[in-house]
Amino acid sequence: MEPKVIVVTSGKGGVGKTTTSANISVSLAKSGYKVVAVDADIGLRNLDLVMGLENRVVYNFIDVIEGNCRLNQALVRDKRVDSLFLLPAAQTRTKDAVNPEQMVDLCKNLKKEFDFVIMDSPAGIEGGFQNAAAGADEGLVVTTPEISAVRDADRIIGMLESLEIRPNRLVINRVRPHMVRGGDMLEVEDVLDVLAVKLIGVVPEDSSVISSTNSGEPLTFGNSSPATQAFENIAHRLTGAEVPFLDLEKMNDNRFVSGLKKIFRFSK
Amino acid sequence: MSNNYERRGISLKGSGSYLKLVISETLSAEKVWHELERIVEEAGGLLANVGLIVDFGERSVDYNFLSGFIGDFVIKYNLKINSWISKNEDTLNLLGKLALKSSQAADPSVRMNKTERKTLVLKNSLRSGQRVEHHGDVIVIGHVNDGAEILATGNISVCGKLKGLVHAGYDTGEDNVITCYSFEAKQVRLGRKLSTLQNTKSELWNKPVIISLEKDSLLMREIEI
């Protein structure tokens, strides 16, 4: 398989780009691929925290671009999975510290070393996004089933297409089946109808995402929640595997039944 | 509209009678020649049929660059240059010395021949943030998504869903119409009239409609064929 640079983007903030980037990076690495997760959110870095690698960051990719260190000095190897690396962003610089041409060169160098380069883009459509997308081969657009997020995703897909980045595939994050059922949340079909791009995964709302973020341990390291399975499926689809989509309704019912079982176990 | 050339430091903007070729000041001379060759190759005969406005922006253009541009690009591909734009004083001086017509306000949409009305056919959907301005009629073979905009001096016809903003007849307006296959927009504009739709439970929501001006009011009705 050809090495790929995949930009994870959304337009709107807070929809789960960094969580998605971390989880699919871990899952791909666990499947044996050599993966680097690049935090392209210069000045507001988070990916190191979500991946639990913040203590080991010494250099960042601005240091690489400015020639202060070699690429392999800035890469942080994840000790939990040998083939997983993080290339952190600079926290004390701004988006202007790098330009698209430099990002293209960086991506070319990373593709020589890695099977997958997962580029975690900042929110917005300005310079930060332009830099993150500059060297990308494919786009992973993350949205939530809200009209504001969907409109922003539409904008970002248009921009990715104008940058000749294809295919762009969609992750619909934080879906709450009971709200969809009650007509209070957009259905997956509604989102797809507007955005007209291929769906790569639907991730249910899951409280374990918050605890995993705070503990610096992405779900795909071993959690068995519904969101974990959804992220793992997305990672497998990125490798070209055909994986059926989760039945969120069924999962929801199963969780309800298992919850009832627990209650009855305690009451015995 | 944005286009695929912008990523490479050279953009080609406008439609109809004029095209503006914008050359980024950050692009090296070597890359400029390379990208110009590529643009000619990708644009095919399009460039030869329209007047070009060359915009050097802040770039400081010297005689060697300009003579290379004219010889290796303009003459070689038999192009027609309508005017030159620059914000750089040295470049403007050079253009002046060579008596090349320079202009600061050569916006293609403004300079377009107002008597000439052409139909612009867009063969894809317009996504949020994409904006089309056209002197003449516009036909969209696709959807106009929420956040996209079309301004046309003529009629606008959308073969898919109309969710974004369309303004037909924006400079003259009276006799123009807007049609769409599925009406899902919160606002439409025709000539100097604007109409907002607050209630998505309207009978016309999701229906094929035609919007026209009648007795100085916007009239929307279902298309029945």
Side-chain angles (χ1 to χ4, degrees):
Chain A
M1 197 174 70
E2 286 277 304
K4 280 181 193 170
V5 180
I6 299 172
V7 60
V8 181
T9 185
S10 68
K12 189 175 184 297
V15 296
K17 289 180 292 300
T18 304
T19 305
T20 304
S21 301
N23 279 290
I24 60 172
S25 296
V26 170
S27 186
L28 286 166
K30 279 171 61 186
S31 304
Y33 293 97
K34 199 173 174 193
V35 182
V36 59
V38 182
D39 191 345
D41 199 350
I42 305 165
L44 291 169
R45 79 173 182 216
N46 279 319
L47 192 57
D48 55 330
L49 285 171
V50 176
M51 293 178 74
L53 298 171
E54 71 276 17
N55 296 338
R56 298 182 43 220
V57 173
V58 179
Y59 295 107
N60 54 63
F61 81 79
I62 301 296
D63 288 321
V64 179
I65 284 169
E66 291 182 345
N68 301 328
C69 69
R70 295 190 308 278
L71 177 59
N72 59 8
Q73 288 177 298
L75 290 168
V76 181
R77 182 193 284 268
D78 194 315
K79 289 176 181 167
R80 295 162 291 190
V81 190
D82 274 351
S83 58
L84 177 62
F85 292 78
L86 167 72
L87 186 55
Q91 180 71 354
T92 56
R93 305 290 292 272
T94 65
K95 277 45 175 178
D96 304 326
V98 63
N99 64 44
E101 287 76 25
Q102 289 169 324
M103 291 299 289
V104 171
D105 289 341
L106 178 73
C107 289
K108 276 182 192 162
N109 289 332
L110 289 170
K111 279 165 81 171
K112 290 175 194 163
E113 303 282 329
F114 294 94
D115 301 316
F116 283 96
V117 180
I118 307 296
M119 188 74 67
D120 182 25
S121 161
I125 55 172
E126 298 84 11
F129 160 73
Q130 303 281 352
N131 287 335
D137 303 307
E138 295 183 11
L140 207 61
V141 178
V142 184
T143 189
T144 54
E146 300 161 57
I147 51 170
S148 53
V150 172
R151 183 198 271 186
D152 290 357
D154 190 40
R155 177 88 163 103
I156 221 79
I157 293 166
M159 295 184 79
L160 289 168
E161 286 173 351
S162 74
L163 290 170
E164 296 174 351
I165 297 171
R166 286 191 181 86
N168 294 302
R169 288 178 281 186
L170 188 70
V171 176
I172 306 180
N173 196 15
R174 306 182 67 177
V175 175
R176 301 184 195 194
H178 68 280
M179 286 187 72
V180 173
R181 207 164 38 232
D184 297 320
M185 185 172 258
L186 292 174
E187 290 186 33
V188 169
E189 287 73 22
D190 296 335
V191 178
L192 290 176
D193 188 39
V194 174
L195 298 177
V197 287
K198 194 171 179 191
L199 182 70
I200 194 167
V202 179
V203 184
E205 174 86 344
D206 191 334
S207 57
S208 57
V209 172
I210 297 170
S211 50
S212 90
T213 300
N214 288 332
S215 64
E217 182 134 339
L219 293 172
T220 40
F221 266 127
N223 188 295
S224 59
S225 69
T228 311
Q229 203 179 332
F231 283 126
E232 281 180 344
N233 287 354
I234 292 169
H236 290 144
R237 289 182 194 116
L238 282 174
T239 67
E242 291 284 335
V243 184
F245 283 87
L246 296 176
D247 185 342
L248 298 187
E249 287 290 338
K250 204 172 169 184
M251 290 180 88
N252 214 37
D253 292 345
N254 288 345
R255 291 188 95 197
F256 178 68
V257 171
S258 66
L260 283 178
K261 280 179 184 168
K262 278 181 193 168
I263 291 167
F264 283 114
R265 207 178 302 141
F266 279 120
S267 64
K268 275 182 184 174
Chain B
M1 274 180 77
S2 62
N3 59 64
N4 297 335
Y5 302 121
E6 281 184 45
R7 187 189 199 188
R8 302 166 187 156
I10 295 187
S11 62
L12 204 53
K13 295 177 175 174
S15 60
S17 308
Y18 289 87
L19 274 175
K20 183 153 83 171
L21 183 76
V22 184
I23 300 173
S24 163
E25 59 267 25
T26 57
L27 211 61
S28 68
E30 196 180 313
K31 281 192 176 169
V32 169
W33 306 135
H34 178 74
E35 292 306 328
L36 286 173
E37 294 274 340
R38 192 202 291 262
I39 279 185
V40 170
E41 193 180 309
E42 291 181 11
L46 178 71
L47 291 177
N49 298 326
V50 293
L52 271 182
I53 298 166
V54 180
D55 185 354
F56 290 121
E58 299 280 357
R59 189 183 195 91
S60 176
V61 174
D62 60 16
Y63 176 77
N64 286 337
F65 182 92
L66 190 61
S67 61
F69 183 87
I70 293 172
D72 296 341
F73 183 60
V74 181
I75 306 289
K76 183 176 173 184
Y77 296 108
N78 195 26
L79 305 178
K80 182 186 166 199
I81 307 294
N82 276 73
S83 69
W84 307 78
I85 302 178
S86 173
K87 290 177 186 164
N88 183 287
E89 206 170 314
D90 295 337
T91 307
L92 285 171
N93 283 340
L94 179 65
L95 293 170
K97 276 182 197 168
L98 299 172
L100 295 172
K101 188 172 96 180
S102 60
S103 162
Q104 289 296 328
D107 184 81
S109 58
V110 176
R111 294 190 55 140
M112 208 174 283
N113 183 355
K114 294 279 182 184
T115 58
E116 186 182 3
R117 269 176 65 141
K118 288 187 175 177
T119 300
L120 175 67
V121 180
L122 301 168
K123 293 173 186 163
N124 52 331
S125 295
L126 283 186
R127 291 191 180 276
S128 177
Q130 293 179 326
R131 177 185 167 96
V132 171
E133 289 181 39
H134 181 67
H135 181 69
D137 301 331
V138 176
I139 297 171
V140 183
I141 304 172
H143 307 303
V144 177
N145 285 2
D146 185 16
E149 293 180 8
I150 301 175
L151 270 76
T153 56
N155 307 295
I156 298 174
S157 184
V158 180
C159 297
K161 294 174 181 173
L162 173 56
K163 294 182 173 183
L165 176 67
V166 292
H167 189 166
Y170 79 96
D171 66 344
T172 51
E174 308 299 312
D175 300 327
N176 297 298
V177 294
I178 297 167
T179 63
C180 63
Y181 175 71
S182 176
F183 182 79
E184 298 173 36
K186 301 282 171 65
Q187 188 184 111
V188 283
R189 299 176 189 175
L190 185 51
R192 291 180 188 149
K193 296 288 175 188
L194 176 152
S195 176
T196 58
L197 194 79
Q198 303 297 340
N199 184 7
T200 58
K201 288 175 184 163
S202 155
E203 285 180 5
L204 295 171
W205 196 256
N206 284 334
K207 297 272 173 56
V209 300
I210 179 166
I211 302 156
S212 56
L213 260 180
E214 287 182 27
K215 293 182 183 168
D216 214 27
S217 295
L218 276 181
L219 179 71
M220 188 187 303
R221 57 182 187 276
E222 189 175 347
I223 300 172
E224 289 175 354
I225 300 168

